[in-house]
Amino acid sequence: MKAFTYERPADTAAAVRAVARPGAKFLGGGTNLLDLMKVEVETPTHLVDVTRLPLSDIDDAPNGGLRIGATVTNSELSNDKRVRERFPMLSLALLNGASGQLRNQATTAGNLLQRTRCYYFYDPSKPCNKRVPGSGCSALNGYNRIHAVLGGSEACIAVHPSDMAVAMAALDAEVEVQSISGTRLLKIADLHRLPGTSPQQETNLAAGELITAVVLPTPPGGGQVYRKVRDRASYAFALVSVAALVEVKDDHITAARIALGGVAPKPWRALDAERLLVGQAVNDDAFAAAGEAAVAGAQGHGHNDFKIVLAARTVARALADAAAQRKG
């Protein structure tokens, strides 16, 4: 690990001023950044610790929504009664992520901003366009079992690893961001970027911007499910995950939301599949068709071809489970 300096600002204004220093990065729970520093994938020269800022509350917002402070831990968020009752898919996603010890440390903003777990990204001896733009993507012709089948490019097929972000995408959350010039709200769908030709640019945050909160809107009706498929029952990233919401009236689907994880460089919202479901009778054929629509255009790269079929079937199963919760 390379040497660095450290400071703990007293307020958010001081934090965004401090991170303007060349080579500076924000430090939250550190469950991802510190690992990357140890292998010298990340080499900040100055760390700005935001964990003592007044950003650790979960507050009620209008119409049943919630404003979640950036430093609320994953454990606190998953166990909050309001989250469990109003946004159960978010609680389930968090409980399916990492271990209890990591959830006690990891923060809401840090979870959203964690970097990919691609083997080649973590290995400085291998070419990786995220680490060194223009050096190439080792995963394309390498061992790519965990990699993207949607939204990737010739420059990068790494996936975003967050479970929480997938549920928040399905819930239409917004991200509150502060900079020296003020505060803005960013739709969570617009927070993360697809790699295109510049995979090193992973978000649409400007330099020096600090996430201060995530805002969940009015709780949706219908049943909510988060389903995660992984190699082992705990402490493993998703091969495929699905956050599904289905509203049903008179045995017909009136609304649906579907977000996938483990298959794309950002949480993947399956909008065409959602539109396909509206007006359909609740049955397995409708859910299977939506599953196929959710992976339309998917491309495997050899070792990860199985993800396309797995994702379609996981979407269908999650939709069926969500619909079964709310029939009426």
Side-chain angles (χ1 to χ4, degrees), residues 203-228:
T203 74
N204 287 311
L205 295 178
E209 285 191 312
L210 172 68
I211 293 178
T212 52
V214 174
V215 180
L216 295 177
T218 302
Q224 298 182 32
V225 166
Y226 185 79
R227 182 172 289 275
K228 180 176 181 177

Side-chain angles (χ1 to χ4, degrees), residues 32 34 53 57 64 144 198 219 249 266 278 296 306 312 315:
N32 186 208
L34 295 181
L53 299 181
D57 293 329
N144 48 47
S198 54
K249 184 176 182 181
K266 61 180 286 185
V278 176
F306 74 96
V315 167

Side-chain angles (χ1 to χ4, degrees), residues 73-80 94 99-100 102-106:
T73 67
N74 289 178
S75 289
E76 292 167 337
L77 186 58
S78 64
N79 290 318
D80 187 275
L94 286 160
S99 64
L102 285 172
R103 291 196 299 270
N104 289 341
Q105 185 73 14

Side-chain angles (χ1 to χ4, degrees), residues 85 88 221-224 246-249 282 321-328:
E85 292 179 350
Q224 298 182 32
V246 179
E247 296 184 36
V248 176
K249 184 176 182 181
V282 175
D321 289 348
Q325 294 181 15
R326 294 287 189 275
K327 285 190 177 182

Side-chain angles (χ1 to χ4, degrees), residues 135-165:
S135 63
C137 175
S138 296
L140 277 172
N141 296 309
Y143 185 60
N144 48 47
R145 182 173 180 271
I146 66 170
H147 288 76
V149 295
L150 291 164
S153 71
E154 289 299 307
C156 182
I157 55 170
V159 301
H160 194 273
S162 173
D163 291 289
M164 183 191 78

Side-chain angles (χ1 to χ4, degrees), residues 10 13 20 42 59 69 77 101 108 134 150 190 205 217 232 288 295:
E42 291 273 12
D59 298 313
L77 186 58
Q101 294 93 329
T108 297
L150 291 164
D190 298 325
L205 295 178
R232 56 184 184 272
V295 296

